[in-house]
Amino acid sequence: MLAAGIDIGSLTTKAVIVEGTRPVAWSLRPTGAFSQQSARAALDEALTSCGHAFSDLAAIVATGYGRITVPFPSRKVTEITCHARGAWTEFPRTRTVIDVGGQDSKVIRVDDRGRVTDFAMNDKCAAGTGRFLEVMARALEIDLEEMARLSLSARSGATVSSTCTVFAESEVISLIAQGRPRDEIVRGLHGAICDRLQGLVARVGAEPEITMTGGVALNRGLLAVLQEHLGHRINVPSHPQLQGAYGAALIAAEQTA
């Protein structure tokens, strides 16, 4: 029996289709200005890729900031619960989930059944998020993949005192003008983000194992700095950017059991 999860984020919309707990298809597309259409398009793309139709789905759960606007899901669940469920299912020893999305970041404590026991969230600005990294990459005239490579090759990090996107961009421009190597600037930016994440981790009293979700988890440079900050190895799912939709699909599948 098939079930689907849809995660309508601020930057991208993701859909995952599962049979039991096994993902059988997925898709990812920009959310754009029309989240309803993006949600349906992402779901249709995933269904097409596995040779099924909308009528084959027994249940659909929506999550993410745009979940309220989508009319067809059978249930709507917070992204905190969905990311926790997805990360815990892939790594059952997970007790802390760090999710860094396009516009917010959160740290979630889970118990030995994957249930949320506490969380801390930064959703007031783009500080320490995927959007923050995109703006800094543009200022440095590099892409996000090169940011990761430069950070890993840096011997030290420049001091970046602000994680406010506007002020940090000004700092980066000043560091470029001073002739500071780009690898050191990138390492400094990653350090500033990890300082902020470490503060969220401290608020919920995180414990290992730790799993990171969201597209920023693909940045190996930031991941290395975060592991240094926390003193723990961090699990990264095979598709970290899909974990919210995967968790939503798992919750949908439970409805059909």
Side-chain angles (χ1 to χ4, degrees):
M1 188 169 292
L2 296 176
I6 308 172
D7 179 6
I8 305 104
S10 57
L11 300 180
T12 58
T13 293
K14 290 76 69 176
V16 172
I17 296 171
V18 298
E19 187 169 19
T21 61
R22 183 176 64 91
V24 296
W26 55 86
S27 71
L28 183 154
R29 59 182 292 120
T31 297
F34 304 101
S35 55
Q36 287 188 35
Q37 290 89 329
S38 298
R40 184 56 193 259
L43 182 59
D44 288 343
E45 287 172 2
L47 285 165
T48 299
S49 70
C50 63
H52 286 280
F54 187 85
S55 58
D56 295 328
L57 295 172
I60 304 170
V61 166
T63 189
Y65 97 103
R67 66 185 183 277
I68 303 300
T69 65
V70 181
F72 55 81
S74 47
R75 187 179 170 193
K76 299 172 183 178
V77 179
T78 71
E79 59 264 41
I80 292 168
T81 297
C82 291
H83 277 272
R85 182 65 58 84
W88 178 82
T89 300
E90 189 156 346
F91 297 99
R93 292 185 177 179
T94 295
R95 296 295 177 270
T96 305
V97 179
I98 298 174
D99 174 59
V100 182
Q103 295 282 19
D104 64 37
S105 52
K106 39 194 170 291
V107 176
I108 308 162
R109 281 280 302 274
V110 301
D111 64 14
D112 59 0
R113 298 179 62 184
R115 295 175 301 196
V116 175
T117 60
D118 197 4
F119 71 93
M121 186 171 183
N122 162 44
D123 60 353
K124 302 300 182 186
C125 65
T129 68
R131 173 63 74 187
F132 175 87
L133 285 173
E134 285 182 359
V135 172
M136 297 310 136
R138 189 168 63 239
L140 288 161
E141 299 183 348
I142 57 178
D143 59 30
L144 292 173
E145 289 186 4
E146 191 171 5
M147 284 191 90
R149 185 184 62 76
L150 287 171
S151 182
L152 289 169
S153 66
R155 294 185 176 180
S156 63
T159 298
V160 178
S161 58
S162 177
T163 50
C164 168
T165 304
V166 176
F167 293 134
E169 185 177 19
S170 296
E171 283 190 68
V172 166
I173 292 170
S174 295
L175 289 166
I176 294 171
Q178 293 165 20
R180 196 73 187 257
R182 288 191 300 179
D183 60 348
E184 295 182 8
I185 298 173
V186 173
R187 179 64 178 257
L189 287 166
H190 286 167
I193 292 173
C194 292
D195 285 344
R196 195 174 186 91
L197 289 173
Q198 193 170 18
L200 293 178
V201 168
R203 283 168 55 187
V204 300
E207 62 179 274
E209 293 184 1
I210 300 173
T211 298
M212 187 171 182
T213 65
V216 174
L218 296 169
N219 182 329
R220 293 180 297 108
L222 185 141
L223 182 69
V225 176
L226 187 56
Q227 289 180 141
E228 288 177 9
H229 273 57
L230 300 181
H232 292 291
R233 178 184 173 278
I234 298 174
N235 303 319
V236 177
S238 50
H239 300 285
Q241 69 275 42
L242 299 176
Q243 288 300 297
Y246 178 47
L250 293 170
I251 294 170
E254 290 174 359
Q255 292 182 336
T256 67

